[in-house]
Amino acid sequence: MQWDTLNTDKMFAKKWLFILLIPCWQMLHAQDTNPVVNGIVNNEQGFPLANVNVRLQNDSRSFYAQTDINGFFSFNNVPPGNLYMLIFSCIGFETQTLDTYNLAYGSLTALSVKMKQIQNTLSQVVVIGYGKTSKKEISSAVASLSAGDLNTGVISSPVQLLQGRVAGLNITHDGNPNTLPTVMLRGPSTLNLGQQPFYVIDGVPDASLNLISPADIASIEVLKDASAAAIYGNRGANGVIMISTRRGKAGDAKITYSGYNSVQRISSVIDVATAAELRSYLKANNKALAPADDNGADNNWQKEVSHTGHAQNHNLGFSGGTEKFIYSGSVNYFKNAAIIKGSYAERFIGRFNLEQKALNDRLRLKFSLYNLIGRQSDVDTLVFYNVLRFLPTLNVYNADGSFKEDPARTQTYNPLALIENNQYDTKMNTTLANAGVTAKLPLGIMYNLDLAYQTRNVNANTYHNHYSLLAYNTNGEAIRSTYGDTKKVLETNLSYDYALNGNNYIKLLLGYSWQQDTNGDGFQSSNVNFASDATSYYNLGLGQAPPGYVPLYGDIAIKTLRLISFYSRFNYNYKDKYVLQVSLRRDGSSAFGVNHRWGYFPAVSAAWRLIEERFLKDQPYLSDLKLRVGYGIAGNTSGFDPLTPLLLNSSTGSFYYNGSFIKSIGPVQNPNPDLQWEKTAQLDAGLDFGFFKNRISGSVDVYHKTTSGIIYNYQLPASLSYTPESLIYANAGKMNNQGIEFSINAVPVSNTYFSWSTGFNIAHNKNQVVSLSNTIYKINYIYTGYPGGTGQSNINTQIIQAGYPVGQFYTLHYLGKDAQGISTFQDQNGNPTTSPKSTDQTYLGNAQPAFVFGWNNSFKYKNFDLNIFLRGVTGNKILNATLSTLNAPGDASNHNIPKLTLSESYNDYNASLYSDRYLENGSYLRLDNATLGYSFRNTSEYISSLRIYITGTNLFSLTGYTGIDPEMNIGTVTPGIDNHNYYPKTRSFMLGVIIDL
């Protein structure tokens, strides 16, 4: 102890001696000597910092130094000059910049610098259900990403920001700017549409994702296991994604602009025969095109329907306020004129937040308003089939300017005519208002009340003009619809935080939730026989429908869903060493049978922070080590019609009576008063670790989750059925998912002028259907995956069966060609056959990837920054149904063929049959994003920072898949089927700027 005191006193004396000698130093040096810069660097507590990197630079040169154990640094013989800048950087501390120093001959500049410590990542605030906590207190599997961790590019949905960034979160998306990505967390858990996670935006459950501009997002948390997600009860089975937008801070007004412009091209195309190759193939087989099918043209229809796309995004954010009143907001404009002609998206988003403190900060009032006004235009999915199928030997236009196509041929259309002759326009308006109050009550109890009201209106308009073959001989067909959805949410809770003796910390939460959704409030109508296409769909009254015409009223009906919940949570923390969390939610839903509308969803998790134990606390290498384990039960109501358990009556046809046809009404759905939600029970064990002051950190999670009571449409005895089909929705199936997730982040290099940080994540999931039956409802298997195709409209390619995963391919086994060049397959007895039957189908691989991974690298050199992000999947199969359907050699005189067919026998009548010949390896590695930026500092008194950047997305893919793209939709019960309806992915290059005022 005396030695420490003595050394501290010596260091203190040395520091003051240095400062006192500064005037003497200046007097001793003549004016003709070079300038000298010296200084001391301390932390916030005034203690010296060693190994701080110090850079002295101006426009022409840079000099480097490092502080010693006493915090001293020195630059000697610096060339005189103006506008020198000093930059101080050290791991664990905020970089500090001092600028505008003029160094003259003989001058001495002495500095005393105090550096601010960066908030420990373990103290990072993480948003969880109905609250916030620190990272070190989390005992569940939660991934947290800040704005800097998210993807960059032409982003049409906030979900795309997470693609490849979170272990276990599989996101896929094609190039269509008007569709949402499919998202699956830890494998499929249902046989219905509800595979998507549950979204919470700024505390509002189930708010519309379209209301959020990517530039406004401050952080995203992913609640991955049931112990974290069960607080959301019957909506947490697929995980929960929580999005927090930027909020204002007390201080001067701050304005931020971010924007970009981009150009986009199709990243890949499918190789089909050119006109010359098609003619040559037919000639070699003594065949020829009909004269009407060969105009001497050589058209590439994939090029005809595409063009260079352009996208732009502009976001203006503002914030400010005082200690009592804070405001923030933004306006965003986004437009994407996509790569397919006639396809675009445009939106305007406004967001405004207010927060007022009152009664000596015991009361906090808040209000938020979000609004989206958008419009979009789409093309018929038949375009993507016909760009491959339509003959390249045909001209685009006839001599009279009309499109070249034959009405007598079904499902064969001029692709450009499909775009030009058919309009699919949609307008959207979504508004969310959210008001809340937080009050500090006696005894330290906090009361919170939030009210939210969301409206969504969609106007869809379709017009098939006089020349459209999709409404042939109607002289124009217009279809208009308008529907409105409303959502009302009330959330109220009491929370209590209590610390006992400084070692025991307790948190309590008790809450009530009420939500009512009303969807489908609107109507649809149509008309035909318009005098002119100039009026398009604008006035249905201008159509003169023939006698007997029945307008298209659609099948959307008004439906109301009501949810009522009571929830509670208990947190206990002992010395930041032992952490416990217990939660219980009781949910009621009107979407299920009257006998099972209420259910309980419990969860428990615990963590042991080994780093706080004495045997680890003083070692120099580990900075964090925490063991977690959690178990919980969550439910799934997503994707279910609120009317699913009820006896429904609807139109069942018509009958002739008294000289006219009368529409009949009858039962179309059997009731099930015992229908209840699907339940997912999940056990998760994890390890969080950090080394060398968290320069290396990461986590490992293993999990096992079982979904029971899976809902499906089962057969009823005819005597118990109200409907002719004798089907009923019931809970019977069971499914397992188990896997492992690993993520690691590291800072291999960090010094004054260069830094490199890297992050890698990988996940493995194994899915298996355990059962499709129970003691009442039984089914052995479900055939799925019907791609269609010539002569194969009722041929399945997948099967759902106990013992196999969802997406299990079930098709023919291809053996090759026989002597006549006919495709041969293996029959059920193991023998070759050229006349396969459905009984010859067998189990041949599955569509779910074995591994999903992402790898991010960020480099900084002086004011330059470079980010490179790669992602991919491996171990999955894709059925190239597009290639299979097109590979019909005997039909080459009627439609175009892929290049594969050029080497096929013309007489191979089996060439297009679905089989494992078309099952391809779906693995890929994609350079998804590369961004190079440059930051200007203190550019003027009005601009605090300016950054410009260029970004390339989808720059290349390494894959063995021969289709248009290996990134297939995985969010359905028929994943991994490429079925000639894929909107091509884009390769984009963008130039952007971010300005802080």
Side-chain angles (χ1 to χ4, degrees), residues 928-988:
D928 200 53
N929 187 291
T931 298
L932 176 64
Y934 185 85
S935 298
F936 299 87
R937 301 180 184 275
N938 299 310
T939 56
S940 73
E941 60 178 310
Y942 304 107
I943 300 177
S944 59
S945 67
L946 169 65
R947 178 174 180 264
I948 58 173
Y949 64 92
I950 55 174
T951 294
T953 63
N954 191 21
L955 295 177
F956 72 79
S957 297
L958 300 178
T959 181
Y961 182 60
T962 62
I964 190 167
D965 196 277
E967 189 174 313
M968 290 290 110
N969 185 343
I970 47 82
T972 69
V973 294
T974 58
I977 299 179
D978 184 351
N979 194 21
H980 53 69
N981 58 359
Y982 192 93
Y983 194 111
K985 287 188 74 69
T986 64
R987 177 170 294 122
S988 65

Side-chain angles (χ1 to χ4, degrees), residues 567-585:
Y567 55 88
S568 61
R569 184 170 60 214
F570 169 79
N571 293 83
Y572 175 71
N573 183 333
Y574 178 69
K575 290 187 175 181
D576 282 339
K577 185 186 301 184
Y578 308 113
V579 180
L580 174 69
Q581 176 176 288
V582 180
S583 68
L584 177 65
R585 182 169 178 129

Side-chain angles (χ1 to χ4, degrees), residues 643-650 666-673 721-723:
L643 306 180
T644 300
L646 304 179
L647 173 65
L648 293 186
N649 293 282
S650 187
V668 295
Q669 177 180 284
N670 286 303
N672 185 356
S721 176
Y722 292 92
T723 69

Side-chain angles (χ1 to χ4, degrees), residues 322-558:
T322 66
E323 293 296 329
K324 298 292 185 180
F325 176 75
I326 296 174
Y327 66 90
S328 64
S330 68
V331 289
N332 174 264
Y333 175 76
F334 171 82
K335 184 174 183 180
N336 188 351
I339 54 175
I340 301 298
K341 295 176 180 177
S343 174
Y344 75 89
E346 186 177 26
R347 70 184 182 215
F348 179 87
I349 298 175
R351 180 181 63 90
F352 190 59
N353 306 298
L354 296 174
E355 185 176 311
Q356 175 71 56
K357 294 180 181 179
L359 303 179
N360 293 325
D361 296 344
R362 301 187 66 86
L363 184 69
R364 183 166 63 95
L365 305 174
K366 56 185 178 180
F367 176 77
S368 299
L369 184 65
Y370 310 76
N371 181 244
L372 161 75
I373 299 173
R375 60 174 184 161
Q376 65 188 47
S377 185
D378 297 282
V379 299
D380 199 291
T381 55
L382 286 169
V383 169
F384 308 115
Y385 184 32
N386 281 274
V387 292
L388 309 174
R389 181 180 174 88
F390 204 68
L391 289 170
T393 55
L394 291 172
N395 291 323
V396 178
Y397 301 100
N398 292 310
D400 62 359
S402 61
F403 286 102
K404 184 74 174 181
E405 52 188 346
D406 185 357
R409 288 183 174 172
T410 59
Q411 295 297 307
T412 303
Y413 307 98
N414 182 320
L416 201 57
L418 283 171
I419 295 174
E420 298 294 338
N421 293 338
N422 304 281
Q423 288 178 264
Y424 301 93
D425 298 335
T426 304
K427 294 181 179 180
M428 302 145 299
N429 193 324
T430 304
T431 301
L432 170 64
N434 181 28
V437 57
T438 300
K440 294 181 181 179
L441 304 180
L443 304 178
I445 298 173
M446 299 293 294
Y447 172 72
N448 187 76
L449 171 67
D450 283 290
L451 300 171
Y453 183 79
Q454 178 178 290
T455 64
R456 178 175 179 264
N457 293 286
V458 178
N459 296 326
N461 304 290
T462 300
Y463 186 70
H464 307 295
N465 70 20
H466 284 62
Y467 308 101
S468 172
L469 297 187
L470 299 183
Y472 190 54
N473 281 334
T474 62
N475 291 325
E477 179 184 40
I479 307 169
R480 302 200 69 177
S481 67
T482 179
Y483 290 100
D485 303 333
T486 61
K487 185 184 303 292
K488 303 173 185 177
V489 180
L490 180 149
E491 296 276 0
T492 183
N493 57 65
L494 293 168
S495 62
Y496 178 67
D497 295 2
Y498 182 71
L500 179 64
N501 299 328
N503 294 327
N504 299 274
Y505 188 45
I506 296 172
K507 293 181 181 180
L508 294 173
L509 175 72
L510 293 173
Y512 169 82
S513 175
W514 177 91
Q515 179 173 329
Q516 179 173 292
D517 297 348
T518 301
N519 298 326
D521 188 0
F523 63 90
Q524 175 181 296
S525 190
S526 67
N527 208 346
V528 294
N529 195 21
F530 291 85
S532 170
D533 289 329
T535 57
S536 185
Y537 50 71
Y538 297 115
N539 190 343
L540 294 182
L542 296 178
Q544 302 178 53
Y549 173 77
V550 179
L552 303 175
Y553 293 119
D555 58 358
I556 298 178
I558 299 178

Side-chain angles (χ1 to χ4, degrees), residues 274-276 279 294-299 391-396:
T274 64
R279 295 186 188 103
D294 193 348
N295 307 139
D298 185 9
N299 273 316
L391 289 170
T393 55
L394 291 172
N395 291 323
V396 178

Side-chain angles (χ1 to χ4, degrees), residues 151-157 213-215 257-264 310-315 332-336 347 949-951 988-994:
N151 291 327
T152 304
V154 181
I155 303 295
S156 58
S157 169
S213 163
Y257 167 79
S258 62
Y260 63 77
N261 272 277
S262 79
V263 294
Q264 305 171 87
H310 296 273
Q312 57 177 305
N313 185 78
H314 306 279
N315 197 89
N332 174 264
Y333 175 76
F334 171 82
K335 184 174 183 180
N336 188 351
R347 70 184 182 215
Y949 64 92
I950 55 174
T951 294
S988 65
F989 297 92
M990 52 193 289
L991 175 64
V993 62
I994 301 173

